[in-house]
Amino acid sequence: KKIMLSGIQPSGDLHLGNYLGAIKNWADRVNEFECYYFMADMHTITVRQDPKELRRRSLEMLALYIASGLDPEKNTLFLQSHVPAHAQLGWVLDCYTMFGELSRMTQFKDKSEKHKDNINAGLFTYPSLMAADILLYQPHYVPVGEDQKQHVELTRNIAERFNNIYGDVFRIPEPYIAKTGARIYGLTTPGSKMSKSEPNGCVFLMDEDDVIMKKFKRAVTDSDTENCVRYDKENKPGVANLMNIYSTITGKNFEEIEKEFEGKGYGVFKPAVGEAVIETIAPIRDEAKRLIADKAYLENVYKEGADRANYIANKTLRKVYKKVGFYQL
Ligand code: TYM
């Protein structure tokens, strides 16, 4: 079986963008691949976190992974900080990653713009830690949303650089990006990606049905008075985003959606998208709630996940240590 790996930062509550851009894509493929999915908790401290909240979100994320269809019996689900090899390989890869490469990462540029008072070294070297996350498990594919493509490309470059010096140590992974859903925009800000920083336009997976519906009813459509469901990303980005969400969930293409809502207007379209979203995520939310109440079960899952992940990750780490010339213990 080919190997797939990905992770999400528990820096905010999981939202529809994470689900459609990443998790859904993982869950749809679990039977075809050997899968590793983790909570990237070490990445989150590049920005200040409330420790209690970080712990809560890490566990909630694990529950949401499982509720979304990632069976812990068949997939390795774990917390990044439970596998020391991530930090260990991260250091080695820091030494094979160039200052110039890191300076070009758009996520670094965005975040250092946003957190001017805390442009720490971890924020800068974040992509080499992410490269370590990936390369330890020798995956073929890394399923992510559009915004993480640049980091996966950098991972490939780092791996190639290392392999050129030391021989075939790392498999060169490929980003695996869904055709629809890879970039979901905010419902109130269709110009920027959906994210927790704009909570009114962000549908969280743990939101109650009425909250979800309210957010969709208030979604920004367009400023003209056309009131017609038509895909025009340039002039009607809000409508295009809603169509993209609807399409990703129902599997219908844009033409079929235009036909379905012909002559019906936004007053019908927006709640219909809300309804489709609720149908998909309400069962996931309810199952996650049930799992969160079962602490012992979740504890068992992350412990087993950590055991499996440590075993695989250490194999790669030992190889790397040997290659670079560290004396074997
Ligand atoms: P993160 O935590 O920001 O996002 C997790 C995943 O969700 C996707 N995503 C979106 N997709 C579509 N529309 C959106 N609005 C949207 N917002 C987020 C992201 O593309 C991502 O797939 N650096 C990573 C976490 C990470 C990682 C890794 C990923 C750490 N190590 C190793 C893969 C492999 C991040 O910050 O994603």
Side-chain angles (χ1 to χ4, degrees):
K1 265 191 183 178
K2 291 200 169 171
I3 303 168
M4 212 172 220
L5 166 138
S6 197
I8 300 182
Q9 295 192 59
S11 52
D13 294 325
L14 277 177
H15 56 72
L16 191 62
N18 299 133
Y19 180 73
L20 297 179
I23 304 173
K24 181 176 184 296
N25 213 4
W26 310 349
D28 288 349
R29 301 280 179 291
V30 278
N31 295 321
E32 289 165 56
F33 297 94
E34 179 186 332
C35 300
Y36 298 84
Y37 294 118
F38 64 98
M39 288 31 93
D41 53 357
M42 288 165 69
H43 276 99
T44 67
I45 63 165
T46 54
V47 174
R48 295 280 175 266
Q49 301 292 331
D50 171 358
K52 237 174 104 191
E53 270 297 287
L54 178 57
R55 256 189 292 274
R56 179 191 69 74
R57 285 192 305 254
S58 298
L59 209 65
E60 183 176 282
M61 185 175 283
L62 176 62
L64 281 163
Y65 280 6
I66 301 168
S68 300
L70 306 175
D71 179 352
E73 304 271 323
K74 292 191 198 141
N75 304 278
T76 302
L77 309 179
F78 65 97
L79 275 85
Q80 184 186 26
S81 62
H82 290 171
V83 185
H86 289 243
Q88 292 168 306
L89 182 62
W91 167 251
V92 174
L93 296 184
D94 273 348
C95 304
Y96 295 81
T97 307
M98 299 303 141
F99 185 87
E101 287 175 316
L102 294 173
S103 311
R104 285 193 290 276
M105 294 295 112
T106 53
Q107 185 169 322
F108 172 70
K109 289 194 239 173
D110 289 351
K111 286 205 173 168
S112 47
E113 193 61 39
K114 229 191 271 167
H115 305 278
K116 279 212 168 66
D117 54 337
N118 185 21
I119 307 178
N120 59 69
L123 191 67
F124 187 65
T125 60
Y126 172 117
S128 42
L129 179 59
M130 176 159 163
D133 298 340
I134 296 171
L135 298 174
L136 281 171
Y137 302 88
Q138 309 281 1
H140 297 78
Y141 299 107
V142 182
V144 286
E146 195 76 44
D147 63 325
Q148 291 299 319
K149 196 174 165 193
Q150 195 186 29
H151 287 156
V152 182
E153 297 290 347
L154 178 61
T155 300
R156 289 166 59 88
N157 293 340
I158 297 169
E160 271 163 9
R161 180 173 301 139
F162 198 91
N163 283 356
N164 279 335
I165 305 172
Y166 301 104
D168 278 340
V169 178
F170 297 125
R171 176 175 283 128
I172 310 297
E174 266 179 60
Y176 185 95
I177 294 168
K179 285 190 198 72
T180 62
R183 187 177 282 271
I184 302 296
Y185 296 91
L187 300 185
T188 46
T189 50
S192 49
K193 69 172 185 177
M194 181 177 283
S195 87
K196 58 173 192 290
S197 55
E198 182 36 51
N200 291 326
C202 184
V203 176
F204 295 102
L205 297 186
M206 296 305 280
D207 276 348
E208 293 300 331
D209 293 359
D210 56 331
V211 176
I212 299 173
M213 188 50 95
K214 205 185 281 166
K215 286 178 179 171
F216 275 97
K217 283 188 175 160
R218 289 184 186 161
V220 170
T221 43
D222 49 49
S223 46
D224 65 36
T225 49
E226 193 184 44
N227 199 21
C228 161
V229 178
R230 182 167 55 77
Y231 193 82
D232 179 353
K233 200 161 184 269
E234 259 325 71
N235 300 308
K236 295 153 69 96
V239 177
N241 185 42
L242 291 170
M243 288 178 77
N244 190 26
I245 292 171
Y246 194 66
S247 168
T248 310
I249 284 180
T250 61
K252 294 174 188 167
N253 64 32
F254 295 146
E255 256 172 51
E256 289 167 323
I257 297 170
E258 283 170 4
K259 201 157 271 158
E260 184 178 346
F261 294 98
E262 212 174 283
K264 291 204 177 117
Y266 305 146
V268 176
F269 178 55
K270 291 201 282 187
V273 181
E275 203 48 60
V277 168
I278 290 168
E279 249 175 63
T280 307
I281 68 177
I284 296 174
R285 174 198 64 213
D286 294 343
E287 174 65 2
K289 274 191 195 165
R290 197 185 64 77
L291 292 170
I292 290 164
D294 193 350
K295 280 255 159 54
Y297 170 75
L298 290 179
E299 195 177 299
N300 197 42
V301 168
Y302 68 66
K303 280 188 175 160
E304 270 184 25
D307 281 346
R308 287 203 290 254
N310 270 303
Y311 176 76
I312 303 285
N314 283 329
K315 275 212 283 202
T316 303
L317 183 71
R318 274 199 300 274
K319 212 171 175 182
V320 169
Y321 272 17
K322 200 167 158 192
K323 290 285 184 187
V324 299
F326 292 163
Y327 210 92
Q328 300 271 302
L329 182 68

